[in-house]
Amino acid sequence: AEQVEADLLAQATAATGPQGFRRPDQGIATSGGMSVVGLLIDLVSRLTSQAQQPFSASLDSATSQTSGGTLTMGGKVSGDGAGSTSTELSFEAKVVNAEGRTVTERITGTVAGPLCPDEFGLLDLEVSGEMEVTGNGTERSRHTFKATASATFDENGEMAQIDIELNVQSDRTGADGRTAFVDVTYGVQFSNVFGGGESTTTKPDVVINRASQEVTSGAQQSDYDMVDNGQDAATKLVLMALASRRSSIQNNGCVAVVAEAPGTVGAKQVVRIDVKTRHVVEGAELDKRVEATLTGPGSIDPASLPTTPETINYTAGDKGGDTGTIALVSRSRRGIGTTNLTIKVGDE
């Protein structure tokens, strides 16, 4: 929020904003705005449904006490499970303070695009939504946004870079009846936001497209808060959508490791295991690498397959009841797939 405000001020100084968009001299406390959006991020980040299956998940929390009153939250995420989907989001939260004043936050949105990255590790999504906060009387703050998000996955199946182009239209009516409107476009880039390396964020590229007369002729702190909250909430919703896709991509949603082994073998028997990788949505065989890890007695050779299809040889334990489990993991720009094989030496 501080960086966004600094950019707005820089544009005002350079006369690139509408009539300066000047900041008032007095300081007014900044509102927290859309902080509860984080709950939805947690919800979808735990969603690991198969790409070819429809999915639905919901979360409702019990009413909790806060320093300002009570808080009740709920959310739902659903999708049709096709290779290219449109997922609808909805969320509502109410806060009642000690004086009995009720503030309601409502969030709706749509995420459209493929569930899986292409052969180059690229994933493009279209995200749109609306966030509205209403209070007692005429108080209201609303943010409507549209975004394009391009994510790039690395060779380990991690979302390494995210480029977001975001348009947010924010309008606000205060308790005194004053109205304000700002239409802003942002360009921002993230790296390793979900892990995999050092996380960085570029300085947002901000363009003020339009603003109401109330803002251009005498901006108040609440106008800056409105712009900051809109950008913050919209960015969180876009990252939430990407977190949902990432969860599926990294949990067998796009790449499957295909391998079979007999359940029971003889002592010290050498078992040949054919290993393939396959795209879950497209159904085509892939040539991706697979790493093998053995738990239990016996041995495997080799432990790494640079490409598939290929073969792993497992040498069983030397006595009845010995059980070995082979974990096969494929990591690539197309996603992460895993499977486990358990092989037991039969009783003598």
Side-chain angles (χ1 to χ4, degrees):
E2 293 176 356
Q3 186 61 64
V4 172
E5 183 171 307
D7 286 342
L8 288 172
L9 291 172
Q11 290 191 39
T13 303
T16 58
Q19 298 184 27
F21 198 74
R22 292 183 176 84
R23 177 184 178 137
D25 293 333
Q26 72 274 22
I28 302 175
T30 301
S31 169
M34 301 289 181
S35 59
V36 295
V37 175
L39 179 69
L40 280 180
I41 298 176
D42 176 68
L43 172 64
V44 297
S45 67
R46 291 185 279 111
L47 186 64
T48 57
S49 300
Q50 290 288 344
Q52 74 274 28
Q53 297 294 327
F55 64 84
S56 179
S58 61
L59 175 66
D60 293 293
S61 70
T63 300
S64 59
Q65 295 293 324
T66 69
S67 59
T70 61
L71 179 63
T72 303
M73 296 180 287
K76 183 177 181 180
V77 182
S78 62
D80 62 10
S84 184
T85 66
S86 179
T87 303
E88 296 183 357
L89 316 173
S90 63
F91 182 87
E92 182 174 301
K94 293 185 179 181
V95 177
V96 182
N97 65 16
E99 290 75 32
R101 180 175 178 272
T102 301
V103 176
T104 302
E105 292 181 305
R106 297 183 181 90
I107 302 171
T108 59
T110 300
V111 181
L115 284 166
C116 300
D118 64 17
E119 60 184 310
F120 304 105
L122 301 179
L123 177 72
D124 294 325
L125 297 180
E126 299 288 334
V127 186
S128 61
E130 180 177 293
M131 295 75 72
E132 183 179 50
V133 180
T134 57
N136 290 354
T138 60
E139 293 177 89
R140 186 192 67 151
S141 179
R142 181 177 61 185
H143 310 281
T144 302
F145 78 93
K146 292 183 179 180
T148 58
S150 297
T152 303
F153 285 80
D154 62 22
E155 290 293 347
N156 293 315
E158 186 54 82
M159 192 178 286
Q161 183 171 308
I162 301 170
D163 292 276
I164 300 175
E165 292 293 329
L166 181 67
N167 173 253
V168 184
Q169 298 182 19
S170 301
D171 63 87
R172 179 180 182 275
T173 301
D176 58 358
R178 179 182 181 274
T179 61
F181 169 82
V182 179
D183 178 338
V184 185
T185 299
Y186 299 85
V188 62
Q189 184 180 94
F190 301 90
S191 64
N192 302 310
V193 68
F194 299 116
E198 181 182 359
S199 179
T200 62
T201 303
T202 65
K203 179 180 178 181
D205 179 18
V206 183
V207 176
I208 303 172
N209 302 313
R210 296 177 295 158
S212 62
Q213 182 64 34
E214 291 82 359
V215 175
T216 57
S217 61
Q220 299 181 5
Q221 180 64 49
S222 58
D223 300 330
Y224 284 90
D225 296 342
M226 174 184 69
V227 173
D228 291 348
N229 291 337
Q231 185 264 350
D232 182 60
T235 300
K236 285 181 179 178
L237 278 172
V238 174
L239 292 176
M240 175 206 65
L242 291 169
S244 175
R245 289 294 195 269
R246 173 180 176 269
S247 179
S248 175
I249 291 166
Q250 295 187 340
N251 288 276
N252 298 312
C254 297
V255 176
V257 179
V258 182
E260 295 183 4
T264 303
V265 298
K268 299 183 180 180
Q269 181 178 343
V270 178
V271 182
R272 176 188 173 96
I273 301 173
D274 294 325
V275 180
K276 299 178 181 180
T277 53
R278 181 175 298 154
H279 199 276
V280 173
V281 177
E282 299 172 1
E285 287 195 7
L286 303 173
D287 60 356
K288 303 307 177 183
R289 78 179 192 270
V290 172
E291 306 295 329
T293 304
L294 174 65
T295 302
S299 62
I300 53 175
D301 181 47
S304 179
L305 302 176
T307 186
T308 54
E310 195 49 86
T311 300
I312 289 177
N313 293 313
Y314 168 69
T315 302
D318 57 6
K319 63 180 184 297
D322 281 351
T323 301
T325 299
I326 305 172
L328 301 172
V329 182
S330 175
R331 300 176 184 271
S332 70
R333 294 183 182 275
R334 307 217 68 178
I336 300 176
T338 64
T339 193
N340 294 320
L341 304 177
T342 298
I343 307 174
K344 180 179 179 181
V345 176
D347 295 332
E348 297 178 355

